[in-house]
Amino acid sequence: GDFVRTVMLLVMLMTLHAAALAAEAGEMSVADILVESDRARGNLGGVSWNVDVTAVENGRTNRVSYEVKARGHDVVAEVLAPAKSKGQKILLVKGNMWFYKPDVSKPVPVSQKQKLIGQAAYGDIATTDYANDYDASMLPDESVDGEECYLLDLKARGRKVTYDRIRYWVSKKRKTGVRAQYFTVSGKLFKSACMEFAHQVPAVNAQSRWFLSRMTIRNEVMPGDLTVIELSEPSFKDLPAHVFDLNLLVK
């Protein structure tokens, strides 16, 4: 009895001590890491920005420009150029996505996995909700270009998300995702990406936070094929609910 109680007390004290040391060292939980990194991809109260997508595929270059608006994880994107696609729209609400073009009577459901242009899928121009969409486990830390990073293994909780499995490097200092590898359900690597964060935006606590400025996606099967997503002119303001109303998408 006494011996067992003593051992249990020691285990409890050691656990508390380890937790205190972790907090002291500024270590974060997997959930916290994902929440913070999601915020750097547009997961804010309201944000609008311009997104230019340039795809190099089979030696050919294509470009599409969007105006994107996001509130939390709801996103609406409208094509600005090229002229032949102007007015086409993409809407993402509660994990469901629709595509609309002016010569079609109503929006059509699409998958976030569906190809947008080049290596970019529809879901790549939206915000991320990795914290809720994936089960994550921590792998041993690694450095990316000399920057200490958490390394996470993400497995999709459902079928609606853009990628089934992701290996994700998150900067410890900036709390931003800086590199990703994308795998099929069977475990085959087929795309990779690196992210840059040149924008700094205000946060609630008056400290600025990093915001995504460029994402370069490479085809791991055809290494010459790559797609660059550039985000410019982020504007932060509250967006009303009707902006993300499916019934108003055609207007």
Side-chain angles (χ1 to χ4, degrees), residues 11-30:
V11 169
M12 185 177 72
L13 288 172
M14 289 171 66
T15 302
L16 289 171
H17 182 61
L21 286 176
E24 207 173 287
E27 292 180 11
M28 300 172 66
S29 70
V30 174

Side-chain angles (χ1 to χ4, degrees), residues 28-38 130-132 134 136-138 152 154 157:
M28 300 172 66
S29 70
V30 174
D32 289 339
I33 293 167
L34 288 176
V35 167
E36 286 295 316
S37 63
D38 280 339
Y130 289 172
N132 290 308
Y134 291 86
S137 58
M138 192 88 78
L152 308 179
L154 310 182
R157 290 177 176 168

Side-chain angles (χ1 to χ4, degrees), residues 163-167 181-192 218-222:
Y163 299 107
D164 296 301
R165 188 167 182 177
I166 305 172
R167 185 163 284 195
Q181 291 179 330
Y182 306 111
F183 298 84
T184 62
V185 177
S186 62
K188 181 181 179 182
L189 173 65
F190 71 105
K191 283 198 290 191
S192 62
R218 298 183 183 276
N219 184 332
E220 292 292 338
V221 182
M222 301 285 289

Side-chain angles (χ1 to χ4, degrees), residues 41-115:
R41 295 283 296 271
N43 182 21
L44 298 162
V47 56
S48 303
W49 67 95
N50 291 331
V51 176
D52 295 305
V53 185
T54 304
V56 177
E57 201 169 29
N58 297 322
R60 297 179 180 179
T61 301
N62 291 307
R63 294 184 178 86
V64 182
S65 296
Y66 296 87
E67 180 187 33
V68 178
K69 296 178 181 178
R71 187 180 71 167
H73 301 296
D74 295 341
V75 180
V76 62
E78 181 172 356
V79 176
L80 303 177
K84 65 179 182 180
S85 302
K86 189 174 175 63
Q88 293 181 0
K89 298 178 183 179
I90 299 166
L91 176 68
L92 174 66
V93 177
K94 296 181 179 178
N96 297 305
M97 184 172 271
W98 292 268
F99 170 76
Y100 169 78
K101 57 181 180 178
D103 58 349
V104 174
S105 60
K106 62 180 182 179
V108 178
V110 293
S111 166
Q112 293 185 51
K113 300 175 189 286
Q114 219 165 302
K115 181 177 176 178

